[in-house]
Amino acid sequence: ISSEFVHRSLAMRITADWCSNCPSMAYSMETAKEDLQGKLELVNLHESGGLTFNDTYTMRLPYNITGYPTCIVDGRAKAVNYSPSSYTINIIKNVVYETEYAYPVTTGIALESTLTGSQLEVDLSLYIKEADEYKVTVLLLEDDIIAYQSGGGNDYEHDHVARLSLSECTGDVVAI
């Protein structure tokens, strides 16, 4: 097992299928992910509509989100936009760069999943350099969902959609 940890950031988009501005935020997040080449993971949390994730409200509360679309990067920075925007893309990228350089990596997570029929098996390993209390949230995401999206039409492709929490949505405590 390698002792080198690779830094990755997380961007969560709070959304709904009735939000006509949300496809623009999705585009900005996807563009930032492509530009960052493996340094950014995406999660889309639908609070209402056909792709509702029941824990979205609980997960967005700490961030004082009052409207859609809103993106939270690394749990500490908020970005909003209403059209594909290089400004929003740069906000996301700059937060990722700041996190990478200002916050040293002290933990690593390896996850492997296997789906056999309707049985999902998840093997999660944590690698921790510094003793502390941590929280880990594991979400099942789905890609390539073709469904309605205001501003995107009836055949809009939804990716990185949270479907199920395999842990407490606010994280299971892991104390080392």
Side-chain angles (χ1 to χ4, degrees):
I1 297 174
S2 173
S3 62
E4 183 178 330
F5 290 3
V6 176
H7 180 272
R8 288 201 176 136
S9 288
L10 176 67
M12 297 186 305
R13 178 174 62 122
I14 310 304
T15 185
D17 64 6
W18 51 260
C19 174
S20 61
N21 297 312
C22 285
S24 295
M25 178 62 82
Y27 173 82
S28 295
M29 290 172 61
E30 288 288 348
T31 301
K33 181 179 177 168
E34 289 173 19
D35 290 353
L36 289 164
Q37 300 178 356
K39 293 182 179 184
L40 182 65
E41 298 297 327
L42 306 178
V43 173
N44 290 307
L45 302 168
H46 289 251
E47 188 158 9
S48 64
L51 299 173
T52 299
F53 178 65
N54 291 333
D55 292 322
T56 299
Y57 179 78
T58 302
M59 293 177 77
R60 78 171 174 83
L61 273 178
Y63 305 107
N64 194 29
I65 294 170
T66 58
Y68 304 139
T70 301
C71 171
I72 303 297
V73 184
D74 287 338
R76 62 186 184 80
K78 234 191 263 194
V80 297
N81 77 309
Y82 302 105
S83 61
S85 164
S86 60
Y87 178 76
T88 302
I89 294 165
N90 286 331
I91 288 173
I92 295 168
K93 289 168 49 175
N94 287 335
V95 171
V96 171
Y97 293 140
E98 179 185 20
T99 300
E100 183 177 21
Y101 293 107
Y103 299 93
V105 177
T106 59
T107 60
I109 297 175
L111 186 129
E112 187 175 320
S113 62
T114 307
L115 182 62
T116 306
S118 63
Q119 182 72 32
L120 176 65
E121 183 176 316
V122 177
D123 181 24
L124 177 73
S125 299
L126 298 174
Y127 304 93
I128 299 174
K129 289 183 181 179
E130 294 180 12
D132 205 340
E133 185 173 287
Y134 299 89
K135 282 189 163 189
V136 176
T137 302
V138 180
L139 300 175
L140 178 66
L141 305 181
E142 186 175 357
D143 289 336
D144 304 321
I145 302 171
I146 305 302
Y148 173 75
Q149 176 65 54
S150 180
N154 289 326
D155 296 326
Y156 184 81
E157 182 177 322
H158 298 265
D159 291 319
H160 320 291
V161 178
R163 303 298 273 169
L164 178 68
S165 184
L166 302 176
S167 63
E168 287 293 322
C169 68
T170 56
D172 288 341
V173 174
V174 177
I176 303 297

